[in-house]
Amino acid sequence: MSALEEATSALSIDDRADSYEVEPGVSVKLEARGAGGSAEEGDAVQCNYKGRVKGKKNDFDQNDGGYPFEFTLGEGKVVRGWEVAVPTLRVGDKAVLTLAPEFGYGDAGDSTDIPPGATLVFHMELVGIKDRVKGSGASDRERLAALRAEREAAQEAAAAKKAAVAAKSGAKSALAEKLANKGKKNKGSGGKKEWVPKEKKSPVKKKGAKGKSPPPPAATA
């Protein structure tokens, strides 16, 4: 058997259990097995993932945009549990990582998304390995902060839009009410104005022709 055949045969052997504990506090459950290689410290790892707090349904983090998230093993830019568990995975693996608090965000937690002492659950797919290539450069906390900022901006935009719609609706309601009140007033008076007699003018002395007053009567003898 050639060296290449021996290496290929060794690579194809996968004696991992479906579920195993890497070390106390870090457990892995394999949902699908890949046939690729495993990463080592210094390798740039590419993966797809979703993370949630154990006992909760909503994800607090995930890679977006359809592109795998990339990080370098050993740089400490991801939670410690990833540094421990990922080297046990092969490219193509789909696994569930369960991390005790000391392998996640510990007793400090992270904002309201991750409470203190939270156990984390990550659904991860190991997509690829790029040897000795620098990772994305963004730390785990920086990515979470950016994700929260985007979410808060979207919530603020939605609230502003809702307020604008409510204001427009209120203006329309006020106008409709005003028109309705006006219609009721006209209906009560029969739609016609009440007749008011015109004020009589005082009589004036008429002038004669060409605007002159008539001459006085002639004196009699």
Side-chain angles (χ1 to χ4, degrees):
M1 182 180 291
S2 67
L4 178 60
E5 289 174 334
E6 289 179 358
T8 304
S9 177
L11 185 62
S12 63
I13 297 173
D14 186 354
D15 58 359
R16 296 173 297 172
D18 290 337
S19 298
Y20 56 91
E21 187 176 61
V22 183
E23 61 180 79
V26 179
S27 62
V28 177
K29 179 182 179 182
L30 295 174
E31 294 186 323
R33 295 172 182 260
S38 298
E40 299 177 353
E41 185 173 345
D43 290 340
V45 178
Q46 299 170 318
C47 66
N48 293 321
Y49 73 93
K50 290 182 179 180
R52 63 179 174 81
V53 173
K54 187 176 181 179
K56 294 187 178 182
K57 295 182 179 180
N58 296 331
D59 297 330
F60 65 78
D61 190 18
Q62 65 181 33
N63 62 310
D64 297 320
Y67 296 97
F69 170 66
E70 185 177 309
F71 69 98
T72 300
L73 277 175
E75 286 190 347
K77 291 187 175 179
V78 293
V79 292
R80 186 182 164 207
W82 280 27
E83 299 277 7
V84 173
V86 169
T88 70
L89 301 179
R90 290 185 171 189
V91 173
D93 279 354
K94 292 182 180 180
V96 180
L97 314 182
T98 303
L99 312 179
E102 59 268 28
F103 290 93
Y105 292 91
D107 294 332
D110 190 85
S111 186
T112 56
D113 293 324
I114 305 173
T119 296
L120 306 181
V121 178
F122 289 95
H123 288 258
M124 178 182 289
E125 177 186 9
L126 189 58
V127 177
I129 301 171
K130 296 198 299 183
D131 294 342
R132 306 296 174 183
V133 178
K134 187 177 180 181
S136 65
S139 71
D140 197 53
R141 288 184 182 275
E142 288 172 342
R143 289 185 296 102
L144 284 176
L147 183 67
R148 278 196 300 273
E150 291 177 4
R151 184 172 57 202
E152 289 171 0
Q155 289 174 345
E156 290 176 1
K161 184 177 180 181
K162 185 177 180 180
V165 171
K168 187 175 181 180
S169 177
K172 287 183 177 180
S173 297
L175 179 61
E177 184 178 357
K178 184 177 180 180
L179 292 175
N181 291 336
K182 184 176 180 180
K184 290 179 180 179
K185 184 177 180 181
N186 290 338
K187 186 176 180 181
S189 59
K192 297 181 181 179
K193 293 183 178 180
E194 184 179 355
W195 180 82
V196 178
K198 294 184 179 180
E199 183 181 356
K200 294 183 179 181
K201 297 182 180 180
S202 300
V204 295
K205 188 177 182 181
K206 294 183 178 180
K207 295 183 179 181
K210 295 184 179 181
K212 295 183 179 180
S213 300
T220 55

